[in-house]
Amino acid sequence: MTTRLTRSALLLALLGWATGAEAAISGTIAARSTNWTAILMFLGFVGITLWVTAAAARRTRTVSDFYTGGGITGFQNGLAMAGDYCSAASFLGITSQIFNDGFDGLIYAIGFLVGWPIVLFLVAEKLRNLGRFTFADVASYRFLQGPVRSFSAVSTLLVVSFYLIAQMVGAGQLIQLLFGLPYLYAIIVVGGLMMVYVLFGGMRATSWVQIIKAVMLLCGASFLVFGVMSHVGFSFEALFARAVTVKTKLALETGLSPADAAAKGRAIMGPGGFIKDPISALSFGFALMLGTAGLPHILMRFFTVPDAREARKSILWATVWIGYFYALTFILGFGAIVLISFNPAYVDGAGALLGGNNMAVMHLAHAIGGNLFLGFISAVAFATILAVVAGLTLSAASAISHDIYASVIRKGDAEPAKELRVSRITTVLLGIAAIILGVVFQKQNVAFMVSLAFALAASGNFPVLVMSLLWKGCTTKGAAWGGAIGLLSAFGLTVVSPVIWVAVFGFEHAIFPYSSPALFSVPAGFFAIWLISTLDRSPRAAIDRAAYPAQRLRSETGIDVHGPAAH
């Protein structure tokens, strides 16, 4: 546990969903000496995944193979979804949030988890029955293809871009911190591996990378929890009681009276320590819950299974694994309070975590399993980033090659070989762009980008998807323009929020007082779609409305799902 360099920077909440959590994204980080245990374990992971990619490349011949991976089971897809969704932010950020604020850290876990039933009951089966490769296949099913696919592609690229930049910057800083590699090398390694996975293996390789990562993450977190619980006699009551005692002692050391210190210690078992006002809490929850159902790289995973039944199984398994994982993070956060709060190897004299605000679980891993287990957990964190960026890249490449090139430019008459070539060229360009953006944004506060990605997905993609699937009156103009209004309102409100207007631009007061725009931009998107569609009296609107019964029949039953889509 050595620390050498110290410099001001932002750390792992750059990966996180830290809307309104500015306190959690700033702080002092310290780069470590080269962690050879972690590097060797990571090289082992890379070796296995490259072997999987080589095997997948031999079976990736068609456009469908590239986009969907040729079909995996619902169980496998559920694991891959969990691997795609549980990022390093979840593992490192949530545990550290609970370490700092106790119960309130659960807002992340709950927000991420409750989005999945929405996906299950509203869109999962319909997505599989209507779509082929991207969520735009579903959103534009009965509409004029050009406008809706163009909106969907732009929305996908925006969401993925903000998400990807934050992942790349966070990856560089995380690897610099954990492995001791220079930032530039770390970015190039992540970008290069990401391109290899997607370029040669497509969805098949990406899926297996995510599955391997999910298994590693769940096993590592489970072992950590076992270690934590063994210290408290496998009693949750003892764990929480000791955590309250530790927080009380810390409060006493700050000079508080015994009564005030006891109250502060007990406060970690109740809400109110992290998000203060109800509007911010609601808006934050909106973004987390509804954004999940609008993330293009998550929606794309529904097309990797053979039918709607397997799609439902995917969601059920994903919910199980994701729920299990977030339950573990709650125990890990409290375990960190108990095991590392007073250890000078992990905290400084002021009680702050060494290495940065989000290192609680890493210190916990060292406290429980020593350097070997710290190396394993470091490799898991790196693998987590690789799996997420691979899924994001594949989603963006599909938006350009399938939605823009094949459907808009070639009007659905693209040669499969050329479409596949466009996908691969796009993957290379996206990989290069991701590396460049990762370098350009190295020293910038990019935490708002991930929160913006969730807000954009919730405000643009989600309303279009729901209204096109469930409302007969939705028209081409309503979907395209209404979705754009939701998307732009989320973007605009974020720019004038404290996260950017004050923290980045330096203005004294923000025009929009809340950190997350979702509570306002999501209704704006739904209302705009309803209003524009209702006022639309064009001939095309009549065609759109008349096509709804056929769309509903296919979405509910899957009839002719393997036949040609009437796009």
Side-chain angles (χ1 to χ4, degrees):
M1 298 300 295
T2 59
T3 58
R4 293 181 178 174
L5 302 177
T6 301
R7 63 188 176 86
S8 296
L10 307 171
L11 187 59
L12 300 174
L14 300 174
L15 307 168
W17 340 92
T19 307
E22 294 89 314
I25 65 173
S26 60
T28 300
I29 66 171
R32 298 174 185 281
S33 58
T34 303
N35 186 336
W36 288 107
T37 305
I39 291 176
L40 289 174
M41 288 192 174
F42 174 70
L43 289 177
F45 168 81
V46 170
I48 293 172
T49 52
L50 287 179
W51 176 76
V52 168
T53 301
R58 289 193 290 272
R59 299 173 62 186
T60 302
R61 295 285 182 269
T62 67
V63 173
S64 179
D65 291 339
F66 186 82
Y67 289 137
T68 69
I72 57 178
T73 68
F75 175 77
Q76 292 167 338
N77 198 37
L79 262 177
M81 282 182 167
D84 209 357
Y85 194 69
C86 296
S87 70
S90 299
F91 189 43
L92 303 170
I94 292 177
T95 50
S96 293
Q97 194 68 54
I98 294 171
F99 173 80
N100 290 319
D101 298 310
F103 179 85
D104 263 7
L106 268 182
I107 190 170
Y108 289 105
I110 294 172
F112 294 147
L113 185 61
V114 298
W116 287 93
I118 295 174
V119 178
L120 173 62
F121 292 112
L122 277 184
V123 299
E125 185 171 341
K126 297 178 177 61
L127 272 171
R128 184 60 193 89
N129 285 339
L130 292 175
R132 293 181 65 203
F133 303 140
T134 68
F135 96 95
D137 291 338
V138 180
S140 66
Y141 186 84
R142 61 188 165 104
F143 301 136
L144 194 61
Q145 296 296 292
V148 180
R149 282 193 182 274
S150 297
F151 157 76
S152 301
V154 170
S155 177
T156 295
L157 291 175
L158 277 177
V159 171
V160 168
S161 297
F162 287 117
Y163 213 130
L164 192 59
I165 290 172
Q167 295 291 330
M168 293 298 289
V169 174
Q173 297 192 356
L174 175 63
I175 294 163
Q176 183 183 17
L177 177 72
L178 297 178
F179 294 174
L181 293 179
Y183 179 87
L184 180 61
Y185 294 166
I187 290 290
I188 292 174
V189 168
V190 172
L193 286 172
M194 171 187 78
M195 281 191 279
V196 169
Y197 291 147
V198 178
L199 196 61
F200 296 104
M203 178 60 86
R204 192 190 304 274
T206 301
S207 296
W208 282 104
V209 169
Q210 291 164 344
I211 289 171
I212 294 170
K213 167 253 175 165
V215 172
M216 290 174 63
L217 183 64
L218 292 170
C219 290
S222 298
F223 181 83
L224 274 177
V225 165
F226 181 84
V228 168
M229 295 307 295
S230 68
H231 276 78
V232 294
F234 296 95
S235 166
F236 288 106
E237 183 180 358
L239 174 67
F240 297 138
R242 288 182 62 178
V244 170
T245 301
V246 168
K247 286 292 186 182
T248 302
K249 288 182 178 177
L250 289 172
L252 281 171
E253 290 183 356
T254 64
L256 292 179
S257 67
D260 291 339
K264 191 167 184 179
R266 290 194 300 271
I268 64 170
M269 299 306 298
F274 172 41
I275 296 181
K276 308 294 184 184
D277 67 279
I279 299 297
S280 293
L282 280 174
S283 195
F284 190 44
F286 250 55
L288 296 182
M289 287 188 295
L290 305 184
T292 301
L295 291 175
H297 63 295
I298 295 296
L299 297 177
M300 189 178 180
R301 295 218 56 87
F302 288 102
F303 311 123
T304 63
V305 292
D307 52 42
R309 181 171 179 269
E310 292 299 314
R312 290 193 299 272
K313 286 174 64 177
S314 301
I315 294 294
L316 289 173
W317 278 115
T319 304
V320 168
W321 298 128
I322 293 168
Y324 173 67
F325 171 73
Y326 285 128
L328 296 183
T329 62
F330 189 63
I331 300 171
L332 293 178
F334 276 90
I337 294 174
V338 172
L339 294 177
I340 70 174
S341 292
F342 283 107
N343 191 327
Y346 309 123
V347 296
D348 60 21
L353 290 168
L354 295 176
N357 291 339
N358 294 279
M359 297 305 294
V361 74
M362 305 307 295
H363 292 320
L364 185 64
H366 186 267
I368 290 176
N371 277 328
L372 184 65
F373 196 59
L374 174 64
F376 174 74
I377 293 297
S378 300
V380 168
F382 197 2
T384 294
I385 293 171
L386 273 178
V388 173
V389 296
L392 289 169
T393 303
L394 186 60
S395 174
S398 304
I400 292 177
S401 59
H402 180 62
D403 294 330
I404 298 295
Y405 172 75
S407 300
V408 176
I409 296 176
R410 303 298 300 174
K411 308 293 183 188
D413 192 31
E415 294 180 21
K418 288 186 177 179
E419 184 176 344
L420 188 57
R421 192 180 309 135
V422 171
S423 295
R424 286 176 163 152
I425 293 172
T426 305
T427 300
V428 173
L429 295 177
L430 285 169
I432 295 172
I435 293 172
I436 294 173
L437 291 172
V439 174
V440 170
F441 283 87
Q442 176 185 356
K443 298 189 182 298
Q444 298 298 314
N445 183 341
V446 294
F448 67 91
M449 290 183 180
V450 172
S451 62
L452 179 57
F454 260 70
L456 290 175
S459 307
N461 294 350
F462 182 69
V464 169
L465 201 56
V466 170
M467 296 293 267
S468 64
L469 284 173
L470 302 179
W471 185 39
K472 177 181 179 179
C474 188
T475 67
T476 297
K477 288 182 180 177
W481 286 104
I485 289 172
L487 196 69
L488 293 175
S489 62
F491 183 82
L493 289 175
T494 301
V495 170
V496 297
S497 72
V499 177
I500 298 180
W501 199 251
V502 175
V504 178
F505 294 158
F507 291 99
E508 186 176 357
H509 300 291
I511 298 173
F512 179 69
Y514 309 108
S515 296
S516 174
L519 188 61
F520 306 92
S521 56
V522 172
F526 275 104
F527 179 74
I529 294 172
W530 171 81
L531 183 63
I532 295 171
S533 297
T534 301
L535 297 176
D536 188 0
R537 295 288 183 261
S538 65
R540 179 66 217 185
I543 296 174
D544 295 338
R545 296 184 182 107
Y548 180 75
Q551 173 190 293
R552 183 176 181 183
L553 178 65
R554 176 161 167 165
S555 69
E556 299 286 353
T557 64
I559 291 176
D560 198 30
V561 70
H562 297 297
H567 288 181

